[in-house]
Amino acid sequence: MRPHASVLHLDLDAFFAAVEQRDKPSLRGKPVIVGGIGPRGVVSTASYEARTFGVHSAMPMHEARRRCPHAAFLSGRFGAYRAASGIVMGLLRELSPLVEPLSLDEAFVDLAVGERSLEPGAVLAEVAALKLRLAEATGGLTASVGVGSSKFIAKVATELAKPDGVRLVAPGTEVEVIAPLPARAIPGIGPVTMEKLARLGVSNVADLQRLSPRELVRELGRAQGEWIAALAFARDDRPVEPDRETKSISVEDTFETDVTDRMALDAVVERDATGVARRLSAAGLFARTITLKARYPDFTTLTRSRTLDGATDAAETIAAVARVLLDTIDVPRGLRLLGVGVAGLTESAQEALFELAPVEPGERSPVERGATPAVNPSGPDQLNQGEVENRASAGVEFVEDSGLTHTGVPTMARRPAGYRPGDDVVHDEQGAGWVWGTGLGRVTVRFETAETGPGPVRTFAVDDPALRPAQG
């Protein structure tokens, strides 16, 4: 164990939703939910205003709508998220060359490099300066920061600091700090494992500390039992691993509650496949091998892969193969993690020797489907009556970062790809704004930006030549 609290963990607060609130003044202080905006979608991020209604990530979107019907439901803008993430990661690399990004909004930093003082006061002052610079550089985003003697303790400290706080766990106090926490605070303890531990009288970490490693191994198996026994006493010597040469690309979702709904998991697969495809395209790469990673509640992790005859960067191909691989997973058992990845990267595409299976009978392609309003009308900013009725009846499925938002309602009109709820648009006369809702051949736009106050709402024909998606 390290003698100093020198591992920093940073987690941007409600990141996707916070970026939307930053860029959309009318949504500041209001519940915002980002993710799959239809009944088959899942919540990616909920603002803290939405969390007070019980909405959380990985929740089915239909449940989020039931709990918080007055929220703004947005499909996400990965360009904006990636830009903000790049600023934050750059600030972290100014602190230390040893930065381990976990996702767009989360990273570990090893502070035990260079000539800095590792005394708690000096570290806390450095963190305070970092948070100020982060807020200034990102236009007001906030982050929770934890510092500890290991990755585990730093991440626990971040959870204790949320939202927008700082917590440093002094070396020597780790066991005392984690003792009152729920046993689920330890990575690897999901619902199934918790059921087994409950039979031993375990409810919090202090209860785990009273058990011997032998008891845990007997109940959970050697690998998981030894892992949990070590973390119960804050023993974690994993190093902070900085970026390496890209040999594979993957996107993973860890769910707050175990997911058994196959349709919700299919939506996650499509969203993650789109994210992987975007990263492939940005890097100018193609992939021959597609991988699906799944983790059960007891922390058992499975990986399934398929190698193509050719190389691809197409989201549709990656998603189709990943869905086939998901067929081999025991979904009713529940999943706490699901991820899509690619490997076998090459700089040239190759023609596949076979075609993917066609769309199943009765299933329509995304371009044959329409969309529905993103925000429930309230006050003076009303959709017309047809759009209000359509909002109540239409179901929308979201494919993250793909430009596709579609519904199974046959009477819905087609609309151009890119007019998704929350997307940035420009009108020749009205200027910059964002898509407030679409449907029935129309698109409703709120004209405002991060630099303006809340702006007016206007509705246009979906093919209005004066309206177009914003560039970038």
Side-chain angles (χ1 to χ4, degrees):
M1 298 296 295
R2 298 185 179 205
H4 299 95
S6 59
V7 178
L8 180 150
H9 176 262
L10 180 142
D11 192 353
L12 290 163
D13 298 318
F15 179 48
F16 293 173
V19 171
E20 298 300 339
Q21 290 176 319
R22 178 196 68 183
D23 295 345
K24 299 173 172 62
S26 61
L27 299 184
R28 293 171 189 168
K30 298 179 180 179
V32 174
I33 299 172
V34 179
I37 61 174
R40 292 185 60 187
V42 295
V43 175
S44 177
T45 306
S47 69
Y48 282 97
E49 294 86 355
R51 294 182 192 187
T52 62
F53 294 88
V55 179
H56 56 74
S57 62
M59 173 180 283
M61 188 58 72
H62 64 80
E63 176 65 14
R65 287 184 181 276
R66 185 187 70 80
R67 296 191 182 199
C68 193
H70 57 292
F73 293 85
L74 307 178
S75 58
R77 300 175 301 135
F78 265 74
Y81 307 152
R82 191 167 289 111
S85 174
I87 293 171
V88 174
M89 296 303 166
L91 292 175
L92 294 181
R93 291 187 178 94
E94 291 179 11
L95 285 182
S96 169
L98 300 182
V99 176
E100 181 181 341
L102 303 179
S103 61
L104 288 177
D105 60 344
E106 186 179 6
F108 286 112
V109 181
D110 193 336
L111 299 176
V113 293
E115 301 299 323
R116 67 166 47 86
S117 169
L118 295 178
E119 290 302 313
V123 171
L124 289 174
E126 196 166 16
V127 171
L130 168 67
K131 284 171 60 66
L132 287 174
R133 294 174 62 203
L134 187 154
E136 180 179 0
T138 62
L141 298 184
T142 64
S144 299
V145 180
V147 186
S149 56
S150 68
K151 283 184 173 180
F152 171 53
I153 293 300
K155 190 170 177 66
V156 166
T158 300
E159 292 299 319
L160 295 175
K162 288 184 177 180
D164 192 22
V166 178
R167 179 70 181 268
L168 184 148
V169 177
T173 68
E174 296 95 342
V175 175
E176 176 185 351
V177 168
I178 65 176
L181 300 179
R184 288 287 300 267
I186 290 184
I189 298 182
V192 173
T193 300
M194 196 63 226
E195 287 181 10
K196 297 177 181 179
L197 292 173
R199 293 196 290 267
L200 300 177
V202 171
S203 63
N204 56 29
V205 176
D207 297 327
L208 286 172
Q209 293 169 353
R210 287 191 284 269
L211 296 177
S212 70
R214 180 175 298 179
E215 289 176 286
L216 290 171
V217 168
R218 183 180 65 242
E219 189 69 26
L220 306 176
R222 177 170 298 278
Q224 190 180 19
E226 291 180 348
W227 167 258
I228 291 174
L231 290 187
F233 287 92
R235 292 192 288 267
D236 176 21
D237 61 357
R238 293 173 296 162
V240 175
E241 298 179 321
D243 292 334
R244 299 172 178 173
E245 179 183 356
T246 301
K247 297 181 180 179
S248 63
I249 295 174
S250 64
V251 177
E252 297 178 0
D253 291 89
T254 300
F255 309 130
E256 293 185 9
T257 58
D258 300 329
V259 179
T260 59
D261 187 319
R262 173 59 192 256
M263 289 196 300
L265 293 172
D266 281 342
V268 172
V269 164
E270 290 191 22
R271 184 185 68 198
D272 288 355
T274 300
V276 168
R278 282 292 182 94
R279 292 171 62 184
L280 279 172
S281 178
L285 297 172
F286 302 85
R288 290 179 54 85
T289 300
I290 297 169
T291 301
L292 184 84
K293 179 179 177 181
R295 180 169 295 155
Y296 292 125
D298 63 1
F299 220 65
T300 300
T301 303
L302 303 178
T303 302
R304 300 285 186 263
S305 298
R306 174 169 294 184
T307 298
L308 307 177
D309 286 354
T312 185
D313 66 349
E316 296 83 358
T317 301
I318 297 169
V321 174
R323 284 194 299 270
V324 172
L325 297 173
L326 185 58
D327 291 337
T328 68
I329 303 298
D330 185 7
V331 169
R333 183 175 170 183
L335 297 182
R336 72 186 313 271
L337 177 147
L338 186 66
V340 175
V342 293
L345 305 184
T346 176
E347 294 184 356
S348 61
Q350 297 172 316
E351 196 70 29
L353 300 181
F354 61 91
E355 295 291 334
L356 290 172
V359 176
E360 293 295 327
E363 182 179 351
R364 293 176 298 127
S365 67
V367 296
E368 296 175 309
R369 306 164 185 167
T372 196
V375 183
N376 293 341
S378 176
D381 298 325
Q382 297 284 332
L383 293 178
N384 62 57
Q385 186 61 32
E387 289 170 320
V388 173
E389 292 172 352
N390 180 62
R391 174 185 58 78
S393 63
V396 180
E397 179 186 0
F398 162 68
V399 184
E400 184 174 295
D401 205 22
S402 68
L404 303 177
T405 307
H406 48 276
T407 178
V409 179
T411 57
M412 297 294 289
R414 297 186 185 186
R415 58 140 182 90
Y419 282 175
R420 305 175 304 165
D423 275 1
D424 296 321
V425 294
V426 176
H427 188 272
D428 288 345
E429 296 180 2
Q430 300 290 336
W434 58 277
V435 176
W436 196 69
T438 63
L440 298 178
R442 291 183 290 277
V443 56
T444 300
V445 178
R446 185 183 281 275
F447 289 98
E448 62 183 11
T449 69
E451 290 74 33
T452 70
V457 173
R458 300 287 185 269
T459 298
F460 307 92
V462 75
D463 57 355
D464 189 323
L467 184 70
R468 60 190 180 278
Q471 298 299 315

